[in-house]
Amino acid sequence: MAEEPKPKRPKISRGDDDYVPGNITKIELCNFMTFNKLTCKPGSRLNLVIGPNGSGKSSLVCAIALGLGGEPQLLGRATSIGAYVKRGEESGYIKISLRGESKEEPITITRKIDTRNKSEWVFNGKAVGKKDIIEVIQRFNIQVNNLTQFLPQDRVCEFAKLTPVQLLEETEKAVGDPQLPIQHQALITKSQELKKFQRAVESNEGSLDQLKALNAELERDVERVRQREDLLAKAESMRKKLPWLKYDVKKAEYIELKNQEKDAKMKLDEAAKGLNELREPIERQKGERAKQEAALKKMNGLLDNNMKKRMQLSDNYNRLGVLIQGKYNEVEDLRRQEESRQQRISKAKEDLATAEAELANLPPYEPPKHKMEQLSARIMELEEAAKEIRFQKKEKEKHLSHHKGILRQCADRLREMENANNKRLQALKNSGAEKIFEAYHWVQEHRDKFNKEVYGPVLLEVNVANRFHADYLEGHVANYIWKAFITQDSEDRDLLVKNLRSFDVPVINHVRNEGGRREPFQETDEMRKLGISSRLDQVFEAPHAVKEVLIGQFGLDHSYIGSRETDEKADLVFRLGIMDVWTPENHYRWLRSRYGNHVSGNVESVDRSRLLLCNLDVKEIESVKLRQTELEETVCTIDGNLRALQTALRQKEDEAAELQREREEIVNIIQSEKKRRREMEHLVNQKRMKLKSIEREDDPDAAIAKLTDQVKELKIQRFQCAIEIKNLLTEAVAYRRSFAEANMCCIEHEAKIKEMESNAKQQEKFALQASVYFDECKNATEYCRQQLSVAKKHAESIAPITPELQQAFLGLALHASSVMESYFWNLLVLIRKYNLQMPTTVEDLEAAIQDTISEANSILFLNHNILEEYESRQRKIEELTNKQEMDEKELNIRLDEINALKGSWLPTLRSLVTRINETFSRNFQEMAVAGEVSLDEHDTDFDQYGILIKVKFRQTSQLQVLSAHHQSGGERSVSTILYLVSLQDLTNCPFRVVDEINQGMDPINERKMFQQLVRAASQPNTPQCFLLTPKLLPNLEYSDACSILTVMNGPWIEQPSKVWSGGENWGSISIPMGENRC
């Protein structure tokens, strides 16, 4: 049974108002492109928008696209949103009303735009973002960027240029299942990835075959290499066994030495035990001897104390004897002193009499008071005069300091002016005078060689106070003059030309003209009315020669200065005979032709000054220099006066100092005489006091009696010391007898101890021999143990045993005596297990190693890295083999995915193209000869799939693919519109827009095309359609599904537009048109 055909698309449910959800019900524009204000209410089916070219039909298309979220680029016009605002306005808006899900739920979208390219979105009166608007548009499947739904005038040709691939993409987006373009893009992506994956699999397969072929060629050489490596491995195993065999020998030596050490230790312990048994009685005897020695020590201490007391008493006895003798000597001294005192009294009386006589004979001295008064008065006069001179000197110094400060200010001012000179010189250098500094310095250094004053550069000599005047003067004078030097003597000119030629600066020689005098500027009433206030030669200061050169060469006395008022009345200036005038903004010049005597004018804008901005007043420089010279002379004069005052002050001070010295000499003489008299009086007083002192000395008889009593007392003390010494001698004899008895006991104990120690020394000698033998055995054992440890480490470094292997043979070590022996036996068992065929002696094993190495070396081959290369390549082969298997599985999975997706996408697409082809062929037969739409398939090249439109307009021709090479423009337009009509019943979009698609069609095709559109619009499932055209053929057949929207524009259209704006008067037209509104 044949399969029933699928319905073209779900039936559109229209409301009572004949609109479907998403239809445009109203368009309102304000200040958009050509419109100030526009309100349009399109119909629910076919809307024919007609109007002359330039009236604004395409503006309506642009409003629909931009108002429904489109970007300016898709229209093919301006690229910025601000360009769509009507010229002369700042902002505008687009307001589009869409039919909602029901008539009671309208949707209004407003887009406000301005010339700053800013957009604001309003949805149902609420400001929202563009994202929210796009969601509403997508809900109704409105695609303003799809050429099959929205075809503006400027993109009609773009639609005709669509390739079959692009046409398929646009058709998938516009009609059929919304999943079609998604599935198509997924198939393109997956097929491209599949091709890349297939190429990678093929590349891996080729690499795998190449690696296998290379390894097959190397297998024989690899076998020989492996045989050699086996021999070397066997030799290496024997090498690993060799240190363990040596370790076994060392181990046997170590065990034997260990046993000898144990025997020596037993002998040493027996000798030590016998020595301890002999030392115990010796220690007891030494204890008794120590007690006797303590008693002796105590007795000896008593004897020492007795002796110390006797020595003290003996010393005291002798000291008392000495004191007694001293007292006797004092008595004799007192007797001799009495005789000497009488002699000293006589001598003192004689000295006193001599001093009194000398004092009495001293002559009196009278000081010169009158001379002292004269000297003091003269000194006062000189000090007053010096004080006056100092005051004058201080005042002069103040004046000097003040004038020096002013002089420094002048110097600073000149330096500032020199800095201004440097700024102007730098400005000249920047303007092109590269060596202006060198030229300027050369002129300054050689001024003494000039006959007359030389000026320059001119820029340094000119001073302009007003900024605007600086602009005028710099603009009027040629640029070269500013770097020129001006001389007033021909010889000076020749000297400058000769020396400044390398500096590239001009030299001008000015010759003074005594007869010629220029007329001064006189301002007339006419000039005042026109704003002319001065002349260019009056607005700057410069030396006479410089000014004359500037005026003479550039006619400054014929150039006038005006104001902004002069700009407004510039045409009247020429009437006053003024040919050149400057204003703040412009420079006006009039030139009179030498041939035709006609006048031409020229106006230029005023440029700002670049050189004269650093103002430099030449007169001020001269005045500052003159002031500096005057100040220097004043400073010199004041300095001379100061030196004169200093000389006078020094003379007064010297004279005063001389008088001061004379007065001091007189004072010194007076003081010397007074001092001499005081010294003589003091000497007399001393002699008197000495005499009285000698007379007041004590009586010697009383002193002698006192000394006799002291001698008696000392003799009694001496007798008592003698008695105490006798008693101490008796006690010392008793102590000495007890000490002798204790000492004999100690000697007896010492003899016994010596006898016992002699026996102990024999035993100690035997113990020492045992200890030495034990140490030798111990050292030998330790040395052997160290050698054994070294041998073990050497063996472990050559043949280490892993913990797993050691654990496997752990049971063999349970009977070992220590951890070291356990580890040794584990290693020995492992060596025996893996090397049973190896020799068991060191010599045989070394010979076997040498034979095995020689056998391995006898196997020769060219490439020493052949095994490494073979194994590396083998690993790569295994990796590539695994990868190849995984890639093949992945490839099959991807193929299955593509086939499954293709099985879902391709039948749907074929069915869609078949339905389009049926409608297109039927419609095309009515307008032309034949046409068909077919799907261009390319197996798995899904990016090459496309839709081919084939047409023929003549019976004799064949069907050809629609292109610009085979069809005319009208034929392409017919084919395009028929293709769009064919999509009508399949389209899920609420409306379609086509702008001026009938351009280029002949009347017959245009009429047929129109009938097709009218018939399609009358179908129940047809979406809303907008067809824009500047004209319609007469006598066309319309239906109730057609709405005609006429766009008229112009200065006289306002009144008629008010009459027709409501849409109620369309029914009065002779041709029935239904209730169309515009």
Side-chain angles (χ1 to χ4, degrees):
M1 182 177 178
E3 183 180 348
E4 294 182 0
K6 294 182 181 180
K8 294 184 176 180
R9 66 184 178 92
K11 183 178 180 181
I12 297 176
S13 59
R14 295 184 180 273
D16 297 337
D17 55 356
D18 199 37
Y19 286 97
V20 297
N23 280 168
I24 298 175
T25 60
K26 185 178 180 181
I27 301 172
E28 184 178 343
L29 306 178
C30 179
N31 294 333
F32 184 81
M33 294 182 72
T34 60
F35 296 109
N36 291 330
K37 185 79 173 177
L38 172 68
T39 301
C40 177
K41 299 178 180 178
S44 61
R45 301 297 184 94
L46 177 61
N47 292 275
L48 298 174
V49 183
I50 62 174
N53 288 328
S55 60
K57 300 186 301 301
S58 296
S59 299
L60 194 64
V61 177
C62 295
I64 295 173
L66 297 177
L68 297 178
E71 297 295 335
Q73 289 81 1
L74 69 88
L75 297 173
R77 290 173 176 258
T79 58
S80 61
I81 192 65
Y84 290 90
V85 179
K86 185 178 180 182
R87 184 173 299 176
E89 302 294 338
E90 293 293 331
S91 62
Y93 67 83
I94 305 165
K95 186 175 182 182
I96 298 177
S97 298
L98 301 179
R99 171 68 150 74
E101 297 297 335
S102 64
K103 182 179 179 181
E104 290 75 19
E105 297 179 3
I107 295 174
T108 304
I109 298 173
T110 304
R111 182 175 188 177
K112 298 179 182 180
I113 60 176
D114 58 27
T115 54
R116 298 187 301 274
N117 296 323
K118 183 179 178 183
S119 292
E120 294 181 7
W121 297 90
V122 179
F123 178 69
N124 288 341
K126 182 180 177 181
V128 297
K130 185 178 179 180
K131 182 179 179 181
D132 299 325
I133 300 298
I134 296 300
E135 290 177 357
V136 175
I137 301 303
Q138 290 178 350
R139 190 175 71 189
F140 294 109
N141 196 29
I142 298 174
Q143 302 177 23
V144 294
N145 59 345
N146 192 323
L147 293 180
T148 62
Q149 286 189 18
F150 196 90
L151 188 61
Q153 177 183 350
D154 296 306
R155 299 187 69 188
V156 171
C157 59
E158 186 177 339
F159 184 87
K161 293 179 181 178
L162 289 179
T163 63
V165 176
Q166 295 170 336
L167 184 60
L168 174 60
E169 293 175 357
E170 299 294 336
T171 303
E172 285 178 327
K173 293 177 184 177
V175 299
D177 189 351
Q179 292 297 320
L180 279 179
I182 299 174
Q183 292 175 348
H184 189 187
Q185 186 60 39
L187 283 170
I188 292 173
T189 304
K190 290 181 179 296
S191 65
Q192 290 175 350
E193 293 176 353
L194 179 65
K195 291 176 183 178
K196 291 181 182 178
F197 202 74
Q198 286 175 339
R199 288 194 294 270
V201 170
E202 293 173 359
S203 175
N204 288 341
E205 187 175 0
S207 300
L208 184 60
D209 294 340
Q210 185 179 3
L211 291 173
K212 288 180 178 179
L214 290 174
N215 269 12
E217 296 176 358
L218 298 177
E219 286 181 354
R220 181 178 298 176
D221 294 336
V222 167
E223 185 63 28
R224 297 177 69 249
V225 171
R226 285 177 174 169
Q227 182 180 357
R228 182 177 184 274
E229 288 189 350
D230 290 341
L231 291 172
L232 291 176
K234 182 179 179 181
E236 184 64 23
S237 300
M238 289 188 286
R239 278 200 189 97
K240 292 179 180 178
K241 180 181 179 181
L242 183 61
W244 289 109
L245 285 178
K246 293 180 179 179
Y247 174 79
D248 193 8
V249 174
K250 291 290 182 182
K251 181 66 177 180
E253 294 177 1
Y254 172 74
I255 293 172
E256 183 179 355
L257 290 172
K258 193 71 176 176
N259 294 331
Q260 291 179 2
E261 181 184 353
K262 288 180 181 180
D263 295 339
K265 184 70 170 59
M266 292 175 62
K267 292 181 180 179
L268 178 62
D269 292 341
E270 292 175 358
K273 184 178 179 181
L275 183 61
N276 290 331
E277 291 176 354
L278 291 173
R279 282 180 177 176
E280 288 179 359
I282 294 174
E283 294 298 327
R284 286 194 299 271
Q285 289 295 328
K286 285 183 177 180
E288 294 294 331
R289 187 184 66 179
K291 292 179 181 179
Q292 294 295 330
E293 287 177 350
L296 285 174
K297 187 175 181 181
K298 181 178 179 181
M299 192 63 64
N300 195 21
L302 293 173
L303 286 171
D304 290 340
N305 289 333
N306 184 276
M307 183 176 290
K308 287 178 180 179
K309 289 179 181 179
R310 283 188 287 116
M311 292 296 293
Q312 289 176 354
L313 291 171
S314 178
D315 291 340
N316 191 25
Y317 180 82
N318 295 330
R319 181 180 64 77
L320 291 173
V322 172
L323 290 175
I324 292 170
Q325 186 63 38
K327 295 298 180 179
Y328 285 134
N329 293 336
E330 287 181 3
V331 171
E332 293 296 328
D333 289 340
L334 287 174
R335 290 172 181 170
R336 285 193 296 273
Q337 285 177 1
E338 179 61 21
E339 295 176 359
S340 175
R341 188 171 72 86
Q342 295 298 328
Q343 294 176 358
R344 285 188 288 110
I345 291 172
S346 300
K347 181 70 171 58
K349 288 180 178 179
E350 292 176 359
D351 293 340
L352 177 61
T354 303
E356 289 176 345
E358 187 177 353
L359 179 62
N361 295 329
L362 188 67
Y365 178 76
E366 292 294 332
K369 295 182 179 179
H370 180 68
K371 187 174 182 180
M372 287 288 291
E373 291 175 356
Q374 289 179 347
L375 288 174
S376 298
R378 180 58 182 163
I379 289 171
M380 289 292 293
E381 292 177 1
L382 291 173
E383 287 180 352
E384 288 294 329
K387 184 177 181 182
E388 181 65 25
I389 293 172
R390 288 191 190 96
F391 177 76
Q392 294 177 5
K393 180 173 175 288
K394 187 175 182 181
E395 291 296 321
K396 291 292 184 182
E397 287 176 347
K398 287 182 179 179
H399 287 109
L400 180 62
S401 176
H402 176 68
H403 284 83
K404 284 184 177 180
I406 298 175
L407 183 61
R408 282 194 298 272
Q409 292 177 0
C410 290
D412 294 341
R413 179 59 181 159
L414 283 175
R415 278 194 295 273
E416 290 177 2
M417 292 180 177
E418 287 296 329
N419 290 336
N421 284 348
N422 290 335
K423 290 180 181 178
R424 287 194 173 184
L425 290 172
Q426 186 63 41
L428 284 174
K429 184 175 180 180
N430 294 338
S431 65
E434 297 292 337
K435 298 184 179 180
I436 192 66
F437 277 97
E438 292 83 348
Y440 174 74
H441 291 313
W442 188 92
V443 171
Q444 297 301 319
E445 292 170 0
H446 299 84
R447 283 195 175 275
D448 56 334
K449 297 181 180 180
F450 301 138
N451 298 326
K452 293 184 179 181
E453 184 67 26
V454 173
Y455 303 101
V458 172
L459 183 64
L460 304 186
E461 309 293 346
V462 176
N463 182 44
V464 185
N466 189 290
R467 182 180 66 81
F468 293 104
H469 295 165
D471 297 341
Y472 305 156
L473 183 60
E474 189 171 331
H476 195 90
V477 174
N479 191 51
Y480 76 89
I481 198 67
W482 300 117
K483 63 180 179 179
F485 290 83
I486 298 176
T487 63
Q488 303 179 75
D489 184 80
S490 58
E491 294 181 0
D492 293 345
R493 177 199 60 199
D494 296 340
L495 179 62
L496 281 182
V497 169
K498 179 181 178 181
N499 291 281
L500 299 186
R501 183 180 292 109
S502 61
F503 299 141
D504 190 24
V505 293
V507 178
I508 300 172
N509 187 46
H510 170 67
V511 180
R512 182 181 298 273
N513 186 4
E514 299 295 341
R517 295 186 63 186
R518 293 186 174 86
E519 297 180 2
F521 172 72
Q522 294 181 357
E523 186 179 8
T524 63
D525 293 338
E526 291 82 358
M527 292 181 182
R528 196 177 297 109
K529 291 178 182 179
L530 295 179
I532 297 174
S533 59
S534 183
R535 205 168 60 191
L536 201 54
D537 62 333
Q538 306 293 321
V539 298
F540 70 94
E541 296 292 338
H544 178 75
V546 176
K547 199 165 188 178
E548 286 296 319
V549 169
L550 292 175
I551 295 172
Q553 290 200 8
F554 301 103
L556 303 182
D557 53 346
H558 298 294
S559 181
Y560 293 82
I561 297 174
S563 62
R564 300 188 186 278
E565 185 180 0
T566 309
D567 276 325
E568 299 174 358
K569 303 176 182 179
D571 55 339
L572 302 177
V573 174
F574 176 68
R575 298 179 184 178
L576 299 179
I578 295 175
M579 307 296 287
D580 192 286
V581 65
W582 291 83
T583 67
E585 299 295 334
N586 300 305
H587 178 207
Y588 298 91
R589 289 185 298 171
W590 290 270
L591 300 176
R592 188 178 300 276
S593 173
R594 296 181 180 180
Y595 303 101
N597 203 29
H598 60 273
V599 178
S600 61
N602 184 25
V603 182
E604 297 176 348
S605 61
V606 178
D607 295 330
R608 299 279 75 85
S609 172
R610 295 181 297 107
L611 301 177
L612 290 171
L613 287 178
C614 302
N615 290 331
L616 187 65
D617 194 341
V618 178
K619 288 186 176 180
E620 186 180 359
I621 293 176
E622 295 298 330
S623 64
V624 172
K625 287 183 178 178
L626 181 60
R627 177 64 174 159
Q628 185 182 22
T629 304
E630 294 175 354
L631 288 170
E632 288 175 349
E633 293 175 355
T634 303
V635 167
C636 290
T637 303
I638 296 174
D639 196 27
N641 294 336
L642 276 174
R643 285 196 293 271
L645 289 173
Q646 184 69 30
T647 303
L649 178 62
R650 191 179 297 110
Q651 291 176 356
K652 296 294 183 182
E653 290 176 347
D654 292 344
E655 187 177 354
E658 185 64 28
L659 293 175
Q660 188 74 23
R661 281 193 300 273
E662 186 177 351
R663 187 177 67 175
E664 288 176 356
E665 289 177 359
I666 295 172
V667 170
N668 291 335
I669 293 172
I670 294 171
Q671 291 178 353
S672 176
E673 291 296 331
K674 289 181 178 180
K675 182 179 179 182
R676 181 180 177 188
R677 179 168 291 277
R678 284 195 303 272
E679 289 177 352
M680 291 299 297
E681 292 174 353
H682 182 66
L683 180 62
V684 170
N685 292 331
Q686 284 183 344
K687 297 295 183 181
R688 286 174 183 171
M689 291 175 66
K690 184 177 180 181
L691 178 61
K692 290 179 180 180
S693 175
I694 295 172
E695 289 176 349
R696 285 197 301 271
E697 290 181 358
D698 296 335
D699 186 8
D701 294 336
I704 291 171
K706 185 178 180 180
L707 288 173
T708 302
D709 293 337
Q710 291 178 356
V711 168
K712 290 179 180 179
E713 181 68 23
L714 292 172
K715 285 182 178 180
I716 292 170
Q717 293 178 4
R718 191 180 184 192
F719 176 76
Q720 290 177 352
C721 286
I723 295 299
E724 290 180 359
I725 291 171
K726 179 183 77 71
N727 294 332
L728 289 172
L729 286 172
T730 304
E731 185 180 27
V733 171
Y735 287 156
R736 179 65 61 184
R737 185 180 295 108
S738 299
F739 178 80
E741 292 175 355
N743 191 25
M744 288 300 294
C745 291
C746 286
I747 292 172
E748 291 177 0
H749 284 293
E750 184 70 24
K752 291 180 180 179
I753 289 171
K754 286 183 178 180
E755 183 180 0
M756 296 174 70
E757 284 182 347
S758 175
N759 296 330
K761 283 183 180 179
Q762 293 293 331
Q763 184 66 25
E764 184 178 358
K765 184 177 180 181
F766 176 73
L768 182 62
Q769 291 176 352
S771 175
V772 171
Y773 177 69
F774 173 72
D775 290 340
E776 289 176 353
C777 292
K778 186 176 181 181
N779 292 335
T781 305
E782 178 63 23
Y783 177 73
C784 186
R785 188 190 65 78
Q786 291 177 356
Q787 286 185 331
L788 182 64
S789 177
V790 171
K792 177 187 174 184
K793 290 180 180 179
H794 177 65
E796 287 177 344
S797 65
I798 295 176
I801 304 301
T802 62
E804 291 78 6
L805 293 176
Q806 184 178 357
Q807 185 66 26
F809 295 94
L810 186 61
L812 297 176
L814 294 177
H815 301 288
S817 61
S818 65
V819 176
M820 182 183 298
E821 292 177 356
S822 171
Y823 187 60
F824 165 74
W825 287 112
N826 283 332
L827 297 177
L828 188 59
V829 168
L830 291 174
I831 291 173
R832 289 173 178 174
K833 177 181 178 181
Y834 290 106
N835 301 282
L836 292 176
Q837 72 281 15
M838 296 182 187
T840 57
T841 63
V842 174
E843 293 79 6
D844 295 343
L845 188 58
E846 288 177 347
I849 291 172
Q850 189 64 34
D851 293 341
T852 305
I853 292 175
S854 299
E855 185 179 357
N857 291 333
S858 64
I859 301 174
L860 302 176
F861 48 88
L862 297 177
N863 188 358
H864 294 275
N865 298 325
I866 187 169
L867 182 59
E868 182 179 352
E869 293 176 2
Y870 179 85
E871 292 177 349
S872 174
R873 197 175 291 119
Q874 192 64 30
R875 287 192 296 271
K876 289 182 180 179
I877 289 172
E878 293 175 359
E879 292 174 0
L880 286 176
T881 301
N882 296 332
K883 188 175 185 302
Q884 188 72 9
E885 294 175 356
M886 294 175 63
D887 288 348
E888 288 177 354
K889 292 179 182 178
E890 179 68 20
L891 183 62
N892 293 330
I893 292 172
R894 294 191 180 193
L895 281 172
D896 293 340
E897 290 178 356
I898 291 175
N899 290 331
L901 189 57
K902 181 180 178 183
S904 173
W905 169 75
L906 188 56
T908 306
L909 180 61
R910 287 172 178 170
S911 176
L912 177 64
V913 173
T914 301
R915 294 199 299 271
I916 295 172
N917 179 49
E918 292 173 358
T919 307
F920 183 78
S921 299
R922 184 176 60 252
N923 293 339
F924 210 84
Q925 286 177 0
E926 296 178 3
M927 294 189 64
V929 176
E932 69 175 18
V933 176
S934 61
L935 179 63
D936 185 17
E937 300 183 15
H938 290 271
D939 194 19
T940 58
D941 295 331
F942 298 101
D943 54 343
Q944 302 297 323
Y945 274 61
I947 288 180
L948 298 178
I949 300 177
K950 297 181 180 180
V951 297
K952 69 175 182 176
F953 288 87
R954 286 165 290 278
Q955 291 290 346
T956 57
S957 61
Q958 299 292 326
L959 286 172
Q960 293 179 332
V961 177
L962 182 65
S963 68
H965 303 289
H966 300 100
Q967 287 82 24
S968 64
E971 291 173 344
R972 292 200 303 276
S973 297
V974 170
S975 303
T976 300
I977 194 62
L978 288 178
Y979 183 77
L980 295 177
V981 171
S982 302
L983 300 180
Q984 288 281 77
D985 292 341
L986 304 173
T987 303
N988 290 325
C989 61
F991 66 86
R992 176 180 285 108
V993 178
V994 181
D995 189 3
E996 297 191 14
I997 194 64
N998 58 340
Q999 293 297 309
M1001 292 186 187
D1002 59 82
I1004 298 173
N1005 285 333
E1006 185 176 351
R1007 188 175 298 276
K1008 292 179 180 180
M1009 180 272 297
F1010 184 76
Q1011 298 303 325
Q1012 293 274 7
L1013 287 174
V1014 171
R1015 183 168 62 251
S1018 303
Q1019 299 296 323
N1021 284 354
T1022 302
Q1024 186 182 31
C1025 181
F1026 291 86
L1027 178 61
L1028 286 77
T1029 178
K1031 62 180 178 62
L1032 283 176
L1033 295 175
N1035 302 320
L1036 292 175
E1037 295 180 3
Y1038 300 93
S1039 69
D1040 293 338
C1042 296
S1043 299
I1044 298 178
L1045 308 178
T1046 304
V1047 180
M1048 301 297 292
N1049 216 334
W1052 299 280
I1053 203 66
E1054 184 176 1
Q1055 292 300 327
S1057 67
K1058 291 180 180 178
V1059 178
W1060 294 88
S1061 60
E1064 290 82 2
N1065 297 324
W1066 284 95
S1068 62
I1069 298 178
S1070 58
I1071 302 176
M1073 300 179 64
E1075 291 187 24
N1076 303 322
R1077 297 186 179 92
C1078 181

